[in-house]
Every structure is written in structure tokens, then in C-alpha cells.
Amino acid sequence: MECRVLSIQSHVVRGYVGNKSASFPLQVLGFEVDSINSVQFSNHTGYSHWKGQVLTADELHVLYEGIKLNNVHHYDYVLTGYTRDTSFLEMVVDIVQELKRANPSLVYVCDPVLGDHGSMYVPQNLYPVYKNKVVPVADIITPNQFEAELLTGKNISTEKDAVEVMDLLHAMGPDTVVITSSDLPPRLGDRFLVCLGSQRHVRPDGSRTTERVRMEVPKVDAVFVGTGDLFAAMLLAWTHHYPNDLKTACEKTFSVMHHVIQRTISYAHGKKRLVINA
């Protein structure tokens, strides 16, 4: 049976971030992906120079209306990532709510891109929109530690703090929360990174239970862009296949991440050797 994703993220001509990081891996895993580009840039904004266009809320609405007029707006998932405009983000919420009314089983996967390492890299006025409007309609969210702390107003210094933060995020709406990276001390040593997850389940008798996941993943001595976009897409894919087994979904997601990053590093080293030999 076809499983269709509406992915609303950034697009770059050169490089792999946003929809260019998310769409192809999802397609490889059998998903149909309809992409709306929240921005179209020459390259990601980590470069010294970049040019391009930003999609407005009105333009997003026009695109969505076109899909609706042709009656091809049935989706199983919505996936969102980086955006810089509050009205655009509010329009995304309106679209998600309308799609959920049409398909109550639709799952909204949100990477609440706000910042990292103690500082925001989107305008501060996006924060209340994420907290008060986006997170409450999301089913799965993938914040890093800084974003999870920002959304809940609680600092994470221990794993107990992290569990409390995930419970606060559950109370805001999402049944699945994965903190994709943290500063918590790993048991396996400094070359590992602690990631945590939490998923609420409803038993047949109506009672609730919560699955907790703690993983330590190897660090790499390199910096990449687009990894958060790939992570959210792969978590969408593997929670689809393992909807009630967050541990397996996270293991498979982190496995994909690890292999993609390692192959990227090997490819980069190979190109460097070719340049030196030339």
C-alpha cells in the first residue's frame, strides 16, 4: 500500500540539507514524497555567500490549494524542518490540522529547528510559535538538548532531568520524543554521544505505558550539515515499520546515520587523496 509523505523543508542547489537530505532516503525505503521547498538557496547558509528565495505563507497556501483542487492531498505523514518565518510556520500548522481532519491517522513528524549549543540560529519569535502551536499538533518530535530545554524551560544536567523534559514534551502533545544529542556523560567514554527517547503507548484496556530508550552512538571528528534532516526522515521511516518499538526504530535510524556519515568521510578522504596525487 502506498505511503505518502508531505515534506516541507528547505532546498539547496549545491549540497544536501532539508528536502535534499530527506526525500531520496525516504524514496529508497519505499515512501512517496511530495516536497514543498520552504526556501530555495544556492547552498546552505554556512557558506560565506548564499543567494535565493524564501517561500511566503501566502505562496505555501497557493501550492497547497493547488494540491487540494486536484484532490491529491491525502497524506500519511507530514515532515517539517527548518524555517525562518512565523507566518509560514503558522500556515504549516493550519495545513497539518486540515490534513489530520481528512485523515485522523496522519502522523506529523517535526524537527523543531531552533538552535544548538546554547544559542538560537533562527529568529527568536519562532520559539513561541513552536511551543504553543507546532509542538501541540506534532506526533513525533526530534529536538536536540538545547531545543528540548528551550521548549520546556527546564535544563538537562542528568538523565533524570532528561526524562522529566521528555515527559513535559509529551504533556504538550507528541507521543514520541527523541532527544537526538545531549551533553550527558556517556558510559562508554568521551568518543560517544548520549541520545534519549520516549514513546507513550495505549494498552488495549486503555491504560498508558511509556517506553524509554537510551543510546550511546559513536562521535565522528567532523562537522556535517543536513544530518538532523536525515535523522527526522529516517525516524519517520522506521517508526512507520516499528510503530510500537521505539528502541528498534532508533537503532535502525542511528545505524543509517552512522553508515551515511562514515561513507561520506571515506568519500571525502578519497577525493582529497586524488587532489594530492594530481
Side-chain angles (χ1 to χ4, degrees):
M1 182 179 173
E2 179 181 280
C3 189
R4 189 168 289 272
V5 180
L6 177 62
S7 181
I8 306 175
Q9 300 193 64
S10 59
H11 171 82
V12 291
V13 177
R14 174 66 179 250
Y16 293 91
V17 299
N19 275 325
K20 282 188 71 177
S21 282
S23 297
F24 178 66
L26 283 169
Q27 290 169 328
V28 168
L29 292 174
F31 293 83
E32 293 289 341
V33 183
D34 293 349
S35 300
I36 294 178
N37 298 326
S38 58
V39 303
Q40 178 164 271
F41 289 161
S42 55
N43 44 267
H44 71 77
T45 55
Y47 281 78
S48 300
H49 307 283
W50 51 272
K51 298 288 185 179
Q53 302 82 37
V54 178
L55 196 71
T56 67
D58 288 342
E59 289 166 340
L60 171 61
H61 180 69
V62 167
L63 289 174
Y64 178 64
E65 284 299 307
I67 295 170
K68 280 175 60 180
L69 287 170
N70 289 296
N71 196 28
V72 289
H73 62 297
H74 179 91
Y75 291 98
D76 303 287
Y77 289 90
V78 174
L79 173 64
T80 64
Y82 175 84
T83 186
R84 294 184 60 85
D85 181 72
T86 55
S87 61
F88 185 93
L89 201 52
E90 288 168 344
M91 180 60 67
V92 168
V93 172
D94 290 344
I95 289 171
V96 169
Q97 289 175 323
E98 183 170 319
L99 291 173
K100 281 192 170 192
R101 286 193 292 270
N103 176 20
S105 63
L106 178 142
V107 174
Y108 174 29
V109 181
C110 171
D111 181 7
V113 181
L114 290 163
D116 203 358
H117 304 299
S119 62
M120 293 182 68
Y121 43 62
V122 298
Q124 291 196 1
N125 58 0
L126 262 68
Y127 157 68
V129 180
Y130 270 112
K131 181 176 181 179
N132 300 322
K133 297 184 178 181
V134 179
V135 173
V137 300
D139 301 285
I140 299 173
I141 59 170
T142 59
N144 57 39
Q145 177 175 328
F146 171 73
E147 291 160 345
E149 290 174 334
L150 192 63
L151 289 168
T152 59
K154 181 177 175 60
N155 291 330
I156 297 174
S157 301
T158 65
E159 287 188 24
K160 181 175 179 291
D161 293 336
V163 169
E164 290 174 359
V165 164
M166 289 189 290
D167 282 341
L168 288 170
L169 290 168
H170 283 317
M172 293 167 68
D175 282 334
T176 301
V177 177
V178 176
I179 299 177
T180 57
S181 61
S182 76
D183 297 325
L184 295 173
R187 297 166 191 164
L188 297 176
D190 292 340
R191 295 185 64 82
F192 288 81
L193 188 69
V194 177
C195 309
L196 303 114
S198 181
Q199 187 174 59
R200 296 189 301 188
H201 302 283
V202 179
R203 294 192 180 101
D205 63 3
S207 62
R208 285 186 173 270
T209 183
T210 304
E211 176 189 1
R212 310 288 192 189
V213 174
R214 181 190 184 279
M215 298 185 67
E216 295 195 10
V217 297
K219 288 183 181 179
V220 293
D221 188 20
V223 177
F224 296 96
V225 296
T227 50
D229 307 317
L230 176 61
F231 184 94
M234 292 299 92
L235 189 66
L236 181 159
W238 292 114
T239 52
H240 174 76
H241 291 295
Y242 299 94
N244 298 307
D245 186 353
L246 183 62
K247 179 176 181 292
T248 297
C250 283
E251 286 174 347
K252 289 187 174 291
T253 298
F254 279 112
S255 177
V256 171
M257 298 296 300
H258 179 74
H259 283 88
V260 168
I261 288 170
Q262 288 301 323
R263 290 191 67 173
T264 303
I265 291 171
S266 297
Y267 176 75
H269 287 166
K271 286 196 71 174
K272 187 176 180 181
R273 284 194 295 272
L274 284 172
V275 170
I276 291 171
N277 292 336

